[in-house]
Amino acid sequence: MEKIIIKGGHPLKGKVVVEGSKNAILPMQAAAILAVQGTVILNNVPPVTDVRVMDRLLQFLNLKTAYGEKERQLVINGSFPLSSEATYDYVGKMRASLLVMGPLLARTGYVRIALPGGCSIGARPIDLHLKGMEMLGASIKQDAGFIEASCNHLVGTRIPLDFPSVGATENIMMAATMAEGITTIENAACEPEVVELANLLNKMGARVHGAGSKVIRIQGVYFLHGAEYTVMPDRIEAGTFMMAAAITNGDVIVNGAVPEYSASLIAKLEEMGVTVIKQANGIRVLGTSVLLPAAVKTMPYPGFPTDLQPQMTVLQLLANGTSTMEEHVFEKRFMHLEELRRMNAHFQINGAVATLLGPSHFSGAEVAATDLRAGAALVLAGLVAKGITQVRQPDCLDRGYFHFYQKLQKLGAQIDRRDIEDQFKLTPMNNPG
């Protein structure tokens, strides 16, 4: 059994480099399906688990891919006859696999994809994806755990979203690139990752306008081709290290962090007494010995990102007073708090609001990562806990962080990842009769 082992009490100091954005790369991988000629080349791609899962799905669909870890370059060639079925073996591992629906429907006129499984941080309904495909002219059927979508050709139309879903915005946008006429997505997601996808699609020959605003317009084209694109830095990884510096009262330069993308986080850090210095190549964060409490509410971009909520609650629990966290994106994203309770965290949860009673004095304990960002939060808590913290299920972190504990080591953390035998494992019986 693998565990991350942390001895707390060491302020982080130094520089750390942010990888390419996992949440930007996944839809770009799916977009390569649209290129009927040439190759899509993505630069600044870290080999995190989610990227690898999407890569295997593309190979299953008969795209040819090649990855150079040293160059951080992913090459995708979709100029072959494609399969239009994505089985649960792939979709069940990662909900972002659903992003192949729009491109496959546009490219082949048919897609059969397994319904995605549940998610530990709450329900992620796909009705907005399906509604968008239907409004573009697709016929949708659900049967035996699969979704089937088919069309003779897609036709552009006005698509108002009930919620600014990032995944639905991206899926509809990709499908609409080859639809007849103009598609208008209203109440679209404004996240930087949506802008990145639109930029790649336009380099591939698409005509996407307004990405980053609430209204996106797509003029359909006949075909798309390959292109090369360098992926933006991961704003969630950047935010995680920024908070790690604040939590440990450290001094860390996060190279590659973009202040514009982290504006909501920077505002809260400064409100809590943390010093944030914007630099030409990143952001420098200097902690404080006395953290002030703050009220935080997760919202779609440019609001505070839900993917930084678990990490922020650790910082709030260390503040000198009572803080609140309102989670308005995923209803089960407070699961990490129950693990933090084992580390002496004090809090109350009432529906979508967690009241965090600080300052908590974390003590080392054995805890389990329930999801990617929860795992990061538990590691951050371990950095300041008294004694030894052991984080189980560290493979959750591999989904979105590359060399996470190694980067923390270089900043001065006493942290390691080990394969430790489970002392409660059943032993073979010599004489079962």
Side-chain angles (χ1 to χ4, degrees):
M1 175 189 297
E2 274 199 317
K3 297 179 183 178
I4 291 180
I5 313 296
I6 312 153
K7 183 179 181 180
H10 301 273
L12 301 184
K13 295 183 180 180
K15 297 180 181 180
V16 64
V17 178
V18 175
E19 308 285 345
S21 170
K22 184 263 293 188
N23 289 340
I25 294 165
L26 297 177
M28 290 183 181
Q29 289 175 273
I33 293 170
L34 294 163
V36 297
Q37 64 182 38
T39 58
V40 171
I41 302 172
L42 302 178
N43 299 310
N44 197 28
V45 177
V48 294
T49 303
D50 279 8
V51 171
R52 293 180 182 274
V53 170
M54 182 66 85
D55 185 63
R56 289 195 290 270
L57 173 56
L58 294 184
Q59 292 176 8
F60 180 78
L61 296 173
N62 202 38
L63 288 87
K64 311 304 178 187
T65 71
Y67 179 70
E69 186 167 328
K70 184 177 180 180
E71 301 84 4
R72 292 285 205 276
Q73 186 178 79
L74 179 61
V75 180
I76 309 170
N77 187 342
S79 60
F80 305 93
L82 302 182
S83 169
S84 291
E85 180 170 330
T87 67
Y88 188 76
D89 289 340
Y90 298 95
V91 181
K93 294 178 181 178
M94 184 182 66
R95 294 184 63 89
S97 302
L98 190 67
L99 290 171
V100 303
M101 175 186 285
L104 280 175
L105 189 60
R107 171 85 180 264
T108 69
Y110 176 77
V111 60
R112 185 172 187 263
I113 187 168
L115 281 165
C119 182
S120 62
I121 59 174
R124 287 174 156 179
I126 62 172
D127 56 314
L128 295 180
H129 298 251
L130 303 184
K131 176 184 175 183
M133 301 305 156
E134 283 185 316
M135 294 184 75
L136 287 170
S139 173
I140 306 290
K141 296 180 181 178
Q142 294 188 42
D143 183 53
F146 277 84
I147 301 166
E148 287 189 58
S150 59
C151 65
N152 292 324
H153 64 279
L154 298 175
V155 179
T157 186
R158 170 180 167 268
I159 303 176
L161 295 179
D162 297 330
F163 178 83
S165 162
V166 174
T169 299
E170 292 171 337
N171 225 345
I172 295 167
M173 185 164 64
M174 288 188 283
T177 57
M178 296 175 66
E180 179 184 330
I182 297 174
T183 300
T184 303
I185 305 174
E186 298 177 356
N187 196 28
C190 302
E191 273 73 1
E193 294 81 6
V194 174
V195 178
E196 287 282 281
L197 175 61
N199 290 342
L200 171 64
L201 290 171
N202 286 339
K203 290 193 73 172
M204 294 169 63
R207 297 176 181 176
V208 180
H209 307 279
S213 72
K214 287 291 185 181
V215 179
I216 300 176
R217 291 184 174 85
I218 307 103
Q219 171 71 57
V221 297
Y222 290 110
F223 73 96
L224 275 74
H225 52 74
E228 184 169 355
Y229 197 85
T230 298
V231 180
M232 63 177 271
D234 194 314
R235 63 190 176 101
I236 305 303
E237 184 191 12
T240 300
F241 280 106
M242 289 166 65
M243 281 186 281
I247 285 166
T248 63
N249 193 14
D251 181 358
V252 175
I253 297 173
V254 185
N255 281 338
V258 180
E260 177 188 353
Y261 298 158
S262 299
S264 60
L265 171 60
I266 291 172
K268 287 300 173 182
L269 290 177
E270 292 178 335
E271 182 182 329
M272 298 179 75
V274 178
T275 300
V276 180
I277 302 171
K278 301 171 186 178
Q279 300 184 334
N281 60 343
I283 298 172
R284 182 180 180 183
V285 178
L286 297 93
T288 176
S289 58
V290 180
L291 286 164
L292 302 176
V296 182
K297 181 186 301 184
T298 65
M299 298 289 287
Y301 188 85
F304 194 91
T306 183
D307 280 353
L308 289 179
Q309 180 258 96
Q311 303 92 307
M312 173 55 80
T313 59
V314 176
L315 188 64
Q316 290 174 295
L317 283 165
L318 295 170
N320 190 25
T322 300
S323 299
T324 58
M325 173 63 76
E326 296 184 44
E327 174 57 58
H328 292 284
V329 181
F330 296 121
E331 72 273 14
K332 293 184 180 179
R333 202 152 212 177
F334 288 145
M335 293 174 65
H336 67 285
L337 288 175
E338 292 303 326
E339 295 298 307
L340 288 174
R341 195 190 296 279
R342 297 169 55 81
M343 299 178 67
N344 200 39
H346 299 284
F347 59 87
Q348 298 170 353
I349 298 176
N350 185 11
V353 181
T355 302
L356 308 159
L357 310 173
S360 292
H361 301 284
F362 292 123
S363 57
E366 186 162 359
V367 292
T370 54
D371 63 79
L372 168 59
R373 308 307 174 185
L378 297 175
V379 170
L380 297 193
L383 294 176
V384 291
K386 182 179 180 180
I388 304 296
T389 299
Q390 300 183 50
V391 181
R392 292 187 177 215
Q393 298 162 209
D395 53 308
C396 286
L397 288 157
D398 299 334
R399 289 188 50 216
Y401 296 99
F402 182 63
H403 283 174
F404 187 51
Y405 83 90
Q406 294 96 324
K407 289 182 178 182
L408 290 171
Q409 279 181 338
K410 291 181 180 179
L411 293 173
Q414 298 296 301
I415 184 172
D416 200 0
R417 182 166 172 170
R418 303 174 190 167
D419 193 355
I420 299 176
E421 185 175 355
D422 188 348
Q423 60 179 316
F424 298 110
K425 182 173 65 177
L426 293 174
T427 54
M429 298 176 67
N430 294 326
N431 184 12

